[in-house]
């Protein structure tokens, strides 16, 4: 999962020109679900949203308080475009985002974890897969990106898969090893 957290003075979401959610001081969270994401990543991200220290304390100490500690609000907005690849050409590629029912289920799971980790009435939501107008008044501005990468076990499986694929692509044999460098015989002493 990937998320952008923005510290805000206020934020709202409108669908077809009608406001469906709004918050005062708190955090606006844009969240995206990637293929391979599970409840584990959603749990971690929800905890991070609620625990991230984005505000100063009463004595001026920087980055000391979380949204829960200031009794702020949270607005979650699904945004698959966070996972776009822009490496080739000028048209974004969205294959890095999970689609359909599973993305909806996992995003909703994430949203509910944020609600249950704090106070349901202080956590609002956008509308999944809707064309939304998001308005905000940034506070700072403070904007942080959080990206949970693939679990190590999955990275290992993918690495093995691509290694086998590479071996098969060169005729079913491993690429030839580099020959060992020949050692030079010690030079004869000259008189």
């Amino acid at each position: 999962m990937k998320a952008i957290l923005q510290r805000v003075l206020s934020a709202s979401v409108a669908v077809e020109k009608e406001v469906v959610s709004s918050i005062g001081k708190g955090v606006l969270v844009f969240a995206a679900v990637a293929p391979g994401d599970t409840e584990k990543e959603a749990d971690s991200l929800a905890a991070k949203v609620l625990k991230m220290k984005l505000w100063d304390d009463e004595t001026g100490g920087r980055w000391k308080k979380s949204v829960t500690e200031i009794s702020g609000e949270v607005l979650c907005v699904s945004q698959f475009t966070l996972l776009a690849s822009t490496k080739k050409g000028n048209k974004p590629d969205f294959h890095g985002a999970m689609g359909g029912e599973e993305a909806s289920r996992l995003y909703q799971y994430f949203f509910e974890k944020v609600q249950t980790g704090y106070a349901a009435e202080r956590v609002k939501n956008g509308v999944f897969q809707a064309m939304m107008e998001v308005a905000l008044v940034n506070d700072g501005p403070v904007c942080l990106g959080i990206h949970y990468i693939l679990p190590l076990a999955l990275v290992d499986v993918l690495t093995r898969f691509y290694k086998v694929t590479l071996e098969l692509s060169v005729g079913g044999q491993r690429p030839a090893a580099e020959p060992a460098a020949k050692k030079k015989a010690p030079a004869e002493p000259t008189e």
Side-chain angles (χ1 to χ4, degrees):
M1 291 189 79
K2 184 172 185 176
I4 301 292
L5 276 62
Q6 293 191 35
R7 187 175 75 183
V8 298
L9 296 175
S10 64
S12 64
V13 172
V15 175
E16 296 181 7
K17 305 290 183 197
E18 184 159 338
V19 174
V20 293
S21 291
S22 65
I23 62 168
K25 184 176 182 176
V27 179
L28 171 61
V29 182
F30 292 106
V33 181
D37 283 343
T38 66
E39 285 85 359
K40 183 177 179 180
E41 286 81 20
D43 290 341
S44 297
L45 184 57
K48 187 71 83 172
V49 165
L50 295 174
K51 293 177 183 175
M52 185 64 63
K53 308 290 187 182
L54 299 176
W55 286 270
D56 299 346
D57 67 13
E58 296 77 18
T59 65
R62 306 282 291 157
W63 311 107
K64 299 287 186 181
K65 291 195 166 199
S66 68
V67 69
T68 60
E69 293 169 319
I70 66 153
S71 299
E73 295 178 283
V74 180
L75 175 56
C76 297
V77 176
S78 64
Q79 188 173 0
F80 75 95
T81 60
L82 291 177
L83 295 168
S85 172
T86 56
K87 291 180 182 177
K88 288 185 176 180
N90 296 318
K91 182 179 176 185
D93 176 347
F94 299 108
H95 287 92
M98 183 186 289
E101 299 276 330
E102 184 59 14
S104 176
R105 184 195 68 76
L106 200 52
Y107 173 79
Q108 189 60 33
Y109 176 87
F110 158 75
F111 171 71
E112 290 168 2
K113 291 303 271 190
V114 176
Q115 278 189 314
T116 59
Y118 187 25
E121 70 278 359
R122 300 196 71 72
V123 180
K124 307 293 174 47
N125 201 2
V127 179
F128 190 84
Q129 289 186 328
M131 182 61 86
M132 294 177 272
E133 294 175 13
V134 180
L136 66 132
V137 177
N138 232 319
D139 182 13
V142 173
C143 185
L144 304 175
I146 301 171
H147 193 177
Y148 284 92
I149 58 173
L150 292 173
L152 232 40
L154 184 55
V155 170
D156 185 50
V157 167
L158 291 173
T159 303
R160 290 174 196 228
F161 169 77
Y162 285 113
K163 184 176 178 183
V164 168
T165 303
L166 175 64
E167 289 171 4
L168 292 175
S169 70
V170 292
Q173 299 177 4
R174 291 182 183 268
E178 297 274 332
K182 293 184 181 179
K183 290 185 180 178
K184 289 186 175 181
E188 295 281 327
T190 58
E191 291 183 33

